[in-house]
Amino acid sequence: MKISIIKPPMPFGWTPVAPPILEYLGALTKQAEPDAELQLIDGSAAPQAPMEAEGDLVGISILTATAVSGYGIADVLRKKGTKVVIGGMHASALPEEAKKHADAVVVGEAESVWPEVLKDARRGSLKPYYYGERLPLTDIPTPLYGQLRGRYRFRAVFTSRGCPYNCTFCSVKQFFGGDIRYRPIDDVVRDVEAIPGSLYLNSDESVWSGKLQRAIDLFSALKGGKKKWLGFGSLGAVESPQGDVLLKAAQESGLITLWVGWDALSDDGLRAYHANGKIGRNREDAIRKIKDHGIDVSLFLMLGGRADTMADFDRTLDTADRLGVSIHPSLVVPYPGTKLYEEYDAVIDKTMGWEYYTGSYAVFDHPLPEMTKDVRERKFYEVSLQLLGLRRLFRHLKDMPFAGFPAAHMVSLMSQLPVRQGMKIAYAKWKASRGPTETTGLN
Ligand code: B12
Ligand code: SF4
């Protein structure tokens, strides 16, 4: 059987991360059907390639921002008679919507149902919906690392799934559940060793979520390897009595940059999102502590939420400079399936399709009259481009912990420069869409 798996083009174009789902679903396919002929297609690397996909079955993976382009690809392929199955977080939140464009929809995690989908496709008897169970993560195959060819610099490895917190904006809890499931440490080490190149991402919700001793054991098992890595980490663990041991073990295992979900600048903002794990903590001290252990920090921040004010946009720059960190802002996005979507439902602009759910568009109304959609979008670009200004990027290199030199410094430039380029293009398009009267004074 010939099977193609497609990741539709990403909203901001190509990224240096090889789309993890392609090489992973590829491995699940080979585990179930070792003789399958497999084609993995990254639409961001080759935008026309998805339309030309061949196969007895085509699987398309969609997030909210890629749903519309994924549906377009599915419609073209189905017109040619190809059977299409759609899966991923967006399809799981809105399965009936996805079904309009697919022969079958996989709701939830693939592991428990993918072999059945393949068997049914071979027999020509696909069911409309398959519901994945949340299985223990004990039989996870190594992704077909390296099967995707291209200029990729990072592969991802996940070591756990699930999160006990209830942040209203987040899709992860709904999808992977509130209990953390862990992969055996030996399996993770095996996968890390299989990754080509010298860099990888840990794609867990938090690289030390749940049991801190398990994280310390994992980092100790990875110590001595030559690969450097990046990942998201919560600050609660850093401030715990085991914080120093944890950070030392993480740094020795190759962690060069920790991404932190900063989410909102104030406790009030965090409260509005029920981000309870973060409220009332001295987050800035925790950042300094991480840097003192030789690990660089990048903050991910949401702006323009209904509890935010215009001042939050400007405070972003002060925060980056004060802490000597890079910050990646995005406008708040109420993703379908989340509590935030329900909360904002009445004020969401339903004329804007899912292609606007990228984090650079304001998709809902704000209670403050001065925070129109236009103003929030403009401020988002203004702040993003200032954060990505060359002066700040180079100053950040100076502020980075020396222990990470040179890998962390190279990775910082390698990831920030393409983002800067993408942001400039996005801003130019945004400006053009406003017409000739747009004058933000940005360049
Ligand atoms: C790594 C990662 C990235 C990487 C790589 C993305 C890429 N190239 O694909 C980078 C940094 C580039 C990135 C970018 C973005 N990301 Co991101 N990312 C993640 C992260 C941390 C891990 C995803 C992952 O690779 N998992 C491992 C793979 C193997 O599993 P999986 O994709 O979860 O798939 C499982 C199931 O969903 C299912 N499945 C998935 N697809 C399919 C298809 C078929 C046919 C079948 C049968 C099953 C199936 O089977 C798999 C196994 O069970 C998640 C958070 C998380 N923990 O999930 C956020 C996450 C997916 N990202 C998110 C977002 C919003 C984005 C951005 C839009 C951010 C932005 N503003 O730019 C962009 C756009 C991404 C895009 N594809 O368009 C959101 C998505 C929310 C949503 N509802 O859409 C998440 C959930 C983060 C969050 N907390 O909200 N991201
Ligand atoms: S944002 Fe992070 S801490 Fe909050 S629910 Fe999502 S994964 Fe958990």
Side-chain angles (χ1 to χ4, degrees):
M1 187 155 74
K2 190 165 181 185
I3 298 156
S4 293
I5 305 171
I6 299 175
K7 179 92 185 171
M10 294 206 281
F12 299 133
W14 183 83
T15 73
V17 187
I21 187 62
L22 294 181
E23 291 179 332
Y24 180 61
L25 200 55
L28 285 181
T29 306
K30 284 289 190 184
Q31 193 179 47
E33 303 251 346
D35 297 330
E37 199 185 318
L38 198 61
Q39 199 187 9
L40 305 179
I41 302 174
D42 174 6
S44 301
Q48 270 313 305
M51 308 293 186
E52 287 149 21
E54 291 169 356
D56 305 296
L57 184 70
V58 169
I60 304 180
S61 175
I62 56 168
L63 296 176
T64 301
T66 55
V68 172
S69 66
Y71 295 155
I73 294 163
D75 294 346
V76 168
L77 296 177
R78 288 176 86 209
K79 269 201 194 117
K80 295 191 216 165
T82 309
K83 293 286 176 206
V84 171
V85 51
I86 297 185
M89 267 189 198
H90 185 82
S92 302
L94 297 173
E96 284 86 13
E97 176 190 284
K99 181 66 185 70
K100 291 185 196 139
H101 306 272
D103 297 283
V105 175
V106 170
V107 180
E109 299 177 26
E111 289 76 5
S112 66
V113 288
W114 190 234
E116 188 189 340
V117 175
L118 297 178
K119 198 151 56 122
D120 289 353
R122 198 158 10 87
R123 288 195 198 125
S125 58
L126 278 174
K127 299 181 198 54
Y129 297 101
Y130 295 83
Y131 295 91
E133 279 175 63
R134 291 177 185 146
L135 297 179
L137 304 177
T138 45
D139 188 24
I140 299 293
T142 304
L144 303 176
Y145 290 130
Q147 177 113 351
L148 270 177
R149 298 296 158 130
R151 295 177 296 135
Y152 302 112
R153 297 220 173 83
F154 304 88
R155 252 69 189 183
V157 60
F158 67 91
T159 96
S160 68
R161 284 183 184 160
C163 175
Y165 292 107
N166 293 304
C167 309
T168 55
F169 54 82
C170 179
S171 303
V172 166
K173 171 86 174 262
Q174 263 71 5
F175 190 82
F176 289 124
D179 295 327
I180 304 175
R181 286 165 289 149
Y182 299 96
R183 294 184 62 198
I185 287 177
D186 288 349
D187 289 10
V188 176
V189 173
R190 175 199 73 199
D191 287 2
V192 168
E193 280 168 2
I195 289 173
S198 54
L199 281 172
Y200 67 96
L201 304 182
N202 173 320
S203 63
D204 294 355
E205 279 51 87
S206 167
V207 298
W208 37 60
S209 55
K211 300 178 198 157
L212 296 194
Q213 191 54 49
R214 186 262 183 188
I216 293 168
D217 293 345
L218 171 64
F219 300 150
S220 305
L222 290 168
K223 186 177 165 180
K226 293 221 159 43
K227 295 188 172 123
K228 304 289 182 198
W229 61 281
L230 306 85
F232 276 99
S234 56
L235 296 181
V238 171
E239 294 167 312
S240 74
Q242 281 167 292
D244 285 312
V245 179
L246 185 74
L247 288 168
K248 183 167 185 288
Q251 200 270 341
E252 287 174 353
S253 74
L255 176 60
I256 50 170
T257 304
L258 189 73
W259 295 331
V260 174
W262 201 253
D263 302 342
L265 287 167
S266 66
D267 271 4
D268 280 347
L270 291 173
R271 236 171 251 120
Y273 298 132
H274 296 239
N276 297 339
K278 295 165 190 164
I279 298 168
R281 294 188 178 280
N282 191 337
R283 296 193 289 167
E284 299 205 353
D285 273 0
I287 298 300
R288 290 187 194 99
K289 183 168 172 181
I290 298 167
K291 290 183 71 180
D292 287 348
H293 279 81
I295 300 164
D296 186 34
V297 177
S298 268
L299 307 184
F300 283 70
L301 174 69
M302 297 182 300
L303 291 168
R306 284 178 57 83
D308 294 338
T309 65
M310 287 301 283
D312 288 306
F313 284 92
D314 299 321
R315 287 176 59 207
T316 305
L317 299 168
D318 302 340
T319 307
D321 295 343
R322 192 173 55 254
L323 292 174
V325 297
S326 56
I327 297 190
H328 299 274
S330 79
L331 288 174
V332 178
V333 182
Y335 286 109
T338 62
K339 298 215 176 71
L340 195 69
Y341 190 89
E342 289 169 27
E343 192 188 318
Y344 282 14
D345 195 13
V347 291
I348 291 176
D349 180 348
K350 301 278 170 56
T351 64
M352 298 175 84
W354 302 129
E355 67 275 27
Y356 292 99
Y357 284 55
T358 59
S360 53
Y361 292 96
V363 297
F364 53 85
D365 291 333
H366 198 280
L368 296 175
E370 67 274 23
M371 285 179 72
T372 61
K373 281 159 64 182
D374 197 69
V375 163
R376 274 175 282 156
E377 290 175 6
R378 183 183 315 182
K379 279 302 268 184
F380 160 74
Y381 282 114
E382 185 180 296
V383 170
S384 298
L385 286 168
Q386 285 180 15
L387 287 166
L388 291 163
L390 287 180
R391 199 173 48 87
R392 257 200 186 82
L393 293 192
F394 285 105
R395 189 183 334 140
H396 175 59
L397 291 183
K398 208 162 57 62
D399 287 341
M400 282 168 68
F402 188 69
F405 184 81
H409 298 69
M410 277 160 60
V411 167
S412 172
L413 275 186
M414 234 161 67
S415 46
Q416 300 268 71
L417 289 175
V419 175
R420 175 184 146 87
Q421 193 52 28
M423 194 61 75
K424 282 170 113 178
I425 295 169
Y427 175 57
K429 282 191 190 156
W430 181 86
K431 243 179 10 174
S433 74
R434 307 286 116 170
T437 52
E438 171 56 32
T439 50
T440 63
L442 297 173
N443 48 48

